Amino acid sequence: MFLRIFLFGSAVVGLLVVALVWAVINGQYAAAQPTPVPSSSASGAPAPSGSQAAESASAGASAGATAGASPSVEASPPASGETATVTIANSNFGPDITVPPGTAVTFDNADSLPHTATEGSNGIKAADALFDLQLPAGASESYTFADAGTYEVTCTLHPQMNMTITVQ
């Protein structure tokens, strides 16, 4: 009797392990990461995290999310060679950004999964997409946003990954 219970329990646990491994391999499960706590800048506004924080600090300006609005970070324009970085982690582009025209936005895939940075939404490439960057794990690619406008960005491999880049 105990042997049957043990064998049944082992089979159930084995099945759960196989299902978890399958989900991880297919990118449907990502380990939870702690939510970063925003730090305060001299102006009292929350400072952006990651590479955007470094860019803001080096430019001598601070950018922050608008209170009560959707998560949006306004990138401050560098003095020359305008650039911004979107770091893809945990199958997420991160917050929406606003950049000036002529900014080269680098999409840095810090995930162990391949992604794309494609103009479109919900995993569907826009019919007249201006960019469709293939980003293997650990890769980076850039696109220069020359014209003002609102650009929807999606990952064609993971439709839940979406963000907006506003150029103004």
Side-chain angles (χ1 to χ4, degrees):
M1 178 66 171
F2 290 111
L3 182 59
R4 284 185 185 173
I5 293 172
F6 175 77
L7 291 175
F8 179 76
S10 297
V12 169
V13 169
L15 185 61
L16 290 173
V17 169
V18 168
L20 178 61
V21 168
W22 180 257
V24 169
I25 289 172
N26 288 311
Q28 306 218 351
Y29 174 82
Q33 297 293 319
T35 304
V37 177
S39 60
S40 295
S41 65
S43 66
S49 62
S51 61
Q52 289 177 335
E55 289 176 22
S56 293
S58 67
S62 125
T66 306
S70 63
S72 175
V73 175
E74 208 167 303
S76 58
S80 65
E82 299 169 354
T83 63
T85 301
V86 172
T87 301
I88 301 170
N90 300 317
S91 293
N92 191 331
F93 285 112
D96 297 344
I97 62 171
T98 300
V99 297
T103 299
V105 176
T106 299
F107 295 89
D108 181 20
N109 184 0
D111 262 347
S112 59
L113 303 170
H115 294 292
T116 71
T118 305
E119 184 178 19
S121 63
N122 299 321
I124 300 171
K125 181 179 177 181
D128 56 348
L130 297 174
F131 55 93
D132 183 14
L133 307 175
Q134 304 301 307
L135 300 166
S140 295
E141 292 287 333
S142 297
Y143 178 79
T144 301
F145 291 86
D147 299 321
T150 302
Y151 300 86
E152 297 295 322
V153 181
T154 191
C155 175
T156 58
L157 303 174
H158 306 100
Q160 77 279 6
M161 291 177 58
N162 295 284
M163 75 172 298
T164 301
I165 297 177
T166 304
V167 181
Q168 60 182 19

